[in-house]
Amino acid sequence: MRKFFTFLAVTLLSFVGASAQCSTENKVVPAEGETLKYAAYFNWGAIWVKGGEAIFKAEQVGNYFHYAVNAYTMPKWRWIYDLNTSIEAYMNRHNMKPISFASTTYEDKKLKHEKITYLNNKLKYQTWGDSVSSMVTKEVDHPDCSYDLLNAVYAARNVDYSKFSYGEPIPFNVFFTEQMSTITGEVLGTENIKTRSGKTYNCLKCKSNSIPYSIFDPKQPVYVWVTNDERHVPVYVECKIKLGYIKVYLEN
């Protein structure tokens, strides 16, 4: 269940171009804001169990979008693995450029803080544990149309998919595991998806290669289905990880 939040975020990154596909207009977050709740299911042999939840919130705050996520292990499984991650990010709502990212993760009795500040063509990355005195800071090149995980989710949802043919490779840059990585994704076509709540959505089926140095099986693609409309709400996600499989469903 390590890095549950990143699982959902990474699968949405397949459509953030590394060159000219920057999204500059918001079509996703309504004036009153948006809240999406997801449930993650993990296979335990032949049985699928609900192991974690994540709640994504987005709102307009002055000239910015404020995004927040809380992802956590379900209480009944914390004796096996205990994870609670709180993340927030800011984006300029006029040009859709990232401003900052911050996370606090409690994982199996270990505390980790991360902070990203965007500085034109570079980003400043800071991380520390229980004490700020242990902080490590470094600067990393920040190419055009590159994002941290949370800002990337909303940038990706604003991309105009109609500009790309089915199966057309779409490269993008994402900062993850303390480095900038390039990932390639594609839109495969349309498909109706029925969630565990019984509701059916008309979706775009998309995939990307798995992100390096993470829980994902590097030999297996990651799939995500998003609503086939302007808002591109993620409805269903599935992929192979090193210890099994994960499925994530939109609950409400």
Side-chain angles (χ1 to χ4, degrees):
M1 295 179 64
R2 178 178 172 83
K3 303 295 186 183
F4 164 66
F5 159 73
T6 65
F7 169 72
L8 183 57
V10 169
T11 58
L12 303 179
L13 300 178
S14 307
F15 322 102
V16 182
S19 55
Q21 291 95 31
C22 284
S23 55
T24 58
E25 179 184 0
N26 170 60
K27 299 179 181 179
V28 171
V29 182
E32 65 273 18
E34 175 193 80
T35 300
L36 303 171
K37 183 178 181 180
Y38 294 89
Y41 289 80
F42 302 81
N43 70 313
W44 195 336
I47 301 173
W48 286 90
V49 298
K50 183 178 178 180
E53 292 181 336
I55 300 173
F56 287 67
K57 294 184 178 182
E59 62 180 345
Q60 296 183 25
V61 180
N63 292 322
Y64 305 98
F65 287 118
H66 175 244
Y67 308 129
V69 175
N70 182 220
Y72 47 86
T73 307
M74 301 303 293
K76 67 182 295 184
W77 301 113
R78 288 176 186 167
W79 65 276
I80 297 176
Y81 195 85
D82 192 4
L83 171 69
N84 193 311
T85 299
S86 296
I87 307 166
E88 66 175 355
Y90 285 88
M91 175 183 283
N92 185 314
R93 72 182 184 90
H94 301 294
N95 58 22
M96 303 297 289
K97 290 186 176 181
I99 302 296
S100 65
F101 168 97
S103 70
T104 299
T105 300
Y106 178 83
E107 183 177 355
D108 269 358
K109 300 181 180 179
K110 294 182 180 179
L111 185 63
K112 182 178 181 180
H113 301 273
E114 294 180 286
K115 183 178 180 180
I116 297 172
T117 306
Y118 291 87
L119 308 168
N120 296 320
N121 62 340
K122 290 186 178 293
L123 61 83
K124 182 170 70 172
Y125 174 74
Q126 298 170 295
T127 182
W128 65 98
D130 294 317
S131 173
V132 177
S133 62
S134 64
M135 180 185 293
V136 176
T137 301
K138 68 176 182 178
E139 290 191 356
V140 179
D141 289 338
H142 167 45
D144 288 340
C145 300
S146 61
Y147 304 86
D148 56 81
L149 286 172
L150 185 49
N151 274 306
V153 170
Y154 294 93
R157 287 179 56 193
N158 277 290
V159 171
D160 184 356
Y161 299 163
S162 66
K163 293 181 179 179
F164 304 99
S165 302
Y166 290 160
E168 179 182 352
I170 309 171
F172 65 93
N173 296 314
V174 55
F175 184 78
F176 180 64
T177 60
E178 303 186 21
Q179 63 183 355
M180 196 69 70
S181 298
T182 299
I183 307 234
T184 301
E186 58 189 276
V187 180
L188 301 178
T190 60
E191 185 176 336
N192 288 332
I193 291 294
K194 187 175 182 179
T195 65
R196 294 178 71 92
S197 66
K199 188 171 183 178
T200 299
Y201 296 86
N202 177 247
C203 294
L204 294 173
K205 181 181 180 180
C206 316
K207 79 170 184 178
S208 74
N209 61 302
S210 59
I211 197 164
Y213 314 111
S214 67
I215 63 169
F216 303 102
D217 184 336
K219 298 179 182 179
Q220 300 293 327
V222 179
Y223 294 94
V224 59
W225 286 258
V226 300
T227 55
N228 189 12
D229 55 22
E230 275 195 339
R231 293 183 64 192
H232 300 137
V233 176
V235 170
Y236 174 56
V237 183
E238 66 177 29
C239 83
K240 175 76 168 61
I241 61 173
K242 294 175 181 178
L243 298 177
Y245 292 86
I246 302 179
K247 295 181 179 181
V248 177
Y249 293 90
L250 175 67
E251 282 203 330
N252 55 60

